[in-house]
Amino acid sequence: MENRYKKTVLSNGLRILTVPMKNTQTVTVVVMVSVGSRYESEKEAGLSHFIEHMFFKGTQKRPTFLDISSTLDSIGGEFNAFTGKEITGYYVKVDYKHAELALDVVSDIFLDSKIDAAEIEKEKGTIIQEINMYEDSPMNNIGNIFERLLYQGSSLGRDTIGNKKTVNAFKRRDFIRYMNKSYIASDSVVCVAGNFDEKKLYPKIEKYFFMMKKGKKPRLDKIREKQVKPQIKIHFKKTDQTHLVIGNRAYHQNHKDRFALGLLSVILGGSMSSRLFSEVREKRGLAYYVRTETEAHKDCGYIATQAGVEHKNLENTIDVILAECKKISKQKVSFQELKKAKDYIKGKSVMNFESSDEVAMFHINQEVHKRKIMTLPEIFKKIDKVTEADVLKVAKDIFTNSKLDLAVIGPHKDEKKLQKLLTLS
């Protein structure tokens, strides 16, 4: 279950994590830079995500997208990238026999992409269609609407993908300028996890990344949460189903109560035997899907429940969700219910640790986001220490009117009517 990792830091500040795994036939190579859409100016909105696209469009060594994709397709490799509010990452997962090739490709796209001007113009059309896709999918877009409500007026409240105006305006010089200030060694991490020869592979990592330039990380504008009463945002859209996210401001990613919050989330709506799944779906048939999740950033976070319902059932669903939030903030969860939530998290974690990509992400995410990397046994100890009283304390702290927010997508206009439902007192 526990994989011993090794961390080294190059003279330029780049951090390297190696996590050998004996019982797997795969290797995953991940490179992550801790800069995402939060670090963009208003004119740069969507640039982090656009750069992610461009890194697969060709390098000096592999001039076209096909040169990159066919190299990995020919060995059955998996490859992709992702952009968040505070990170951007690139990864390749392969048969362990091709570990060196995976490292070569990831380092090539990360360090030597051409960012061709003609390819930028072509890719604008692809990203505009991606924006359209999200706008046409309320289930996927409702989370964006909710975060716009929470963090309105800040870069954290903007969609990671940007908007059509900014995307269409980007020029090659914008990419180069942004990468020069953001893609720096001291703010980047390379992680290799799986079945590989560390003595053979590590020198190659060092060779590829040693020349990555130093720099100073861009400044981050911190969120100042000044909410004093429930907030609501309705995105009017003629849909077949109403989608909602209702949640409360919570804790940043290194908060001392984050483990209690995680357990609270599982008990409330994190599994198919959770309170909300039972009350909203099984007992009342109000929704096909209902789930509670937490999101944590460097300086803020939230817990939220999302569901898709018939238009006529929106108010009833809000009432049921809020009733469960009130209940869990006034009465301790049972010992058995808490134990089940702990075992659920442990079981999911252990199963994930059988996969080299999950192990790589587990380590690199902690290195980027947390103050230190904790092993699974260390995390499990923290979880085991959480008591019923701890969960109640967190619930009382979070589930208050001054932290309550609701976002809705559907054919609704009566904001005042919904506003009256928003009470946890």
Side-chain angles (χ1 to χ4, degrees), residues 53-69 108-116 119:
H53 278 235
M54 292 308 300
F55 272 19
F56 289 95
K57 293 301 178 182
T59 67
Q60 299 302 323
K61 187 175 182 178
R62 300 176 176 90
T64 69
F65 167 78
L66 194 59
D67 292 323
I68 296 171
S69 59
D108 190 26
I109 65 172
F110 190 76
L111 299 171
D112 204 25
S113 286
K114 294 192 298 181
I115 316 295
D116 182 76
E119 289 294 335

Side-chain angles (χ1 to χ4, degrees), residues 207-223:
K207 176 186 174 183
Y208 287 135
F209 289 92
F210 184 77
M211 294 304 293
M212 190 175 177
K213 65 183 179 62
K214 300 179 182 180
K216 188 177 180 181
K217 182 173 181 174
R219 187 175 63 87
L220 180 69
D221 291 328
K222 290 188 176 181
I223 294 296

